[in-house]
Amino acid sequence: MGNTVIVGTQWGDEGKGKIVDLLSKHADYVVRFQGGNNAGHTMVVNGKKIISHLIPSGIIQSKKCFIGNGVVVDPFVLLEEIEYLSSMDIDVSPKMLKISNRAHIIMPYHKLIDAAREVKKGDKKIGTTGRGIGPCYEDKATRRGIRFCDLLDFDFFKEKVVTILEEKNFYLEHYFKTEPVDPDTIIHQFQQIKDRLLPYIADVSVILFDGMNNNKTILFEGAQGTHLDIEHGTYPFVTSSSVVSGNAANGSGVGPGNLNEIIGIVKAYTTRVGSGPFPTELFDDIGDKIQKTGSEFGATTGRKRRCGWMDMVVLRNAARLNSLTGLAITKLDVLDDLDEIKICTGYEYKGTLISDFPPEIKILEECTPVYESHQGWKQDISGITKFNDLPDMAKLYLARIEELAKVKIKIVSVGPEREATIIKENIFN
Ligand code: IMP
């Protein structure tokens, strides 16, 4: 397997964790390149559900894992996750996990600002995960973020915290009318955890470069989905990082020429958590049925996911933006009981047919999806492991997705377990 990037094509929660878990068996290194603990990757191994938010899911396959410079890391959550995975006999020692010295730290005040902003926005809120992601990326862009390398010189770290808090406290007290943050408390909290973090900090870009020179292959584990991308998503109802495949290079310090295969993960229908436009959203019994059958609850916040039909405007957009070389369709079995399954092929807005994903929220909110209808297969497919054994109607549904996306389907997932997977085209060699 060449260096492979896994990205979500919709609004996140496409089931990337399972596919990363499968593919990481064939890679030497697994790297996260953006986002933070707003992500939640669920895997089922030997009947046991394991959820990771920050540490690449490759750790479960005993692969060397890396958190790249593009990720924002809450160190307290990271240490909790190290403990949680260690308690399941998974090796998360510094031998197995490295964090980029350039990665930015989510500070306690980032979470406070994230929460306070959402409250102030009222019904116009983004519906963030409340993990401080946006405020941390914001400080990175305005050049007052704190990075992991700052922990190596703790006096410098302390100075930075004191200076930054002058501004943050003014903002918290006078704009949000909330309590200020005491710099000494924060410094004390970091003093307590610093020595546990230090062995994990490294120059990830250099390690990956050396590894590739020694024929090591890398799996890049994307978080969220293309339509939550800060550049290309349903702005402002997006996350604060670039989630598309191009950022796998930038967010891990690897040159773009090293990305060989780019697999887009597509749920067999569409879901979204949080606010923002969702043209194919269902508000009827079918939407409820999909939500229940698919157990569509956010892995991070536990919120109910909004559900709707497959949207090819979305998928074609993702195929172009990510240079997808293959698709992995997940949760196809969730549609087993439906009489009719719809695919959206375009949007109609004020009498015009739209086939390219528009940037205007208003258009996305007011457009009407144009659907084609497919007959359901009405059969339990969860035990099927060979593509040819799928019912004809399921094959037709998949063929139509392939045809409209102009990208080949390489993997089909029909259940949460590793074994419930159909490999249509081998990408492991
Ligand atoms: P933030 O990333 O916490 O700032 O949240 C911004 C938006 O992205 C909200 O609508 C979240 O629900 C959504 N979001 C962030 N991470 C994920 C994810 O991993 N899956 C699905 N939605 C996400």
Side-chain angles (χ1 to χ4, degrees), residues 11-13 38-40 126-130 133 224 228 238-239 273-274 303:
W11 278 279
D13 306 318
N38 46 352
I126 306 285
T128 71
T129 58
I133 307 294
Q224 290 86 47
L228 286 173
V238 290
T239 191
V273 273
R303 289 179 288 182

Side-chain angles (χ1 to χ4, degrees), residues 217-280:
T217 54
I218 307 176
L219 184 67
F220 296 90
E221 174 174 349
Q224 290 86 47
T226 300
H227 295 82
L228 286 173
D229 184 278
I230 183 84
E231 306 279 342
H232 303 287
T234 44
Y235 190 91
F237 299 99
V238 290
T239 191
S240 297
S241 63
S242 180
V243 315
V244 294
S245 60
N247 197 38
N250 198 29
S252 56
V254 161
N258 295 299
L259 311 181
N260 307 121
E261 179 110 41
I262 299 161
I263 303 292
I265 314 299
V266 192
K267 205 180 272 185
Y269 46 96
T270 312
T271 62
R272 171 162 204 169
V273 273
S275 325
F278 177 2
T280 63

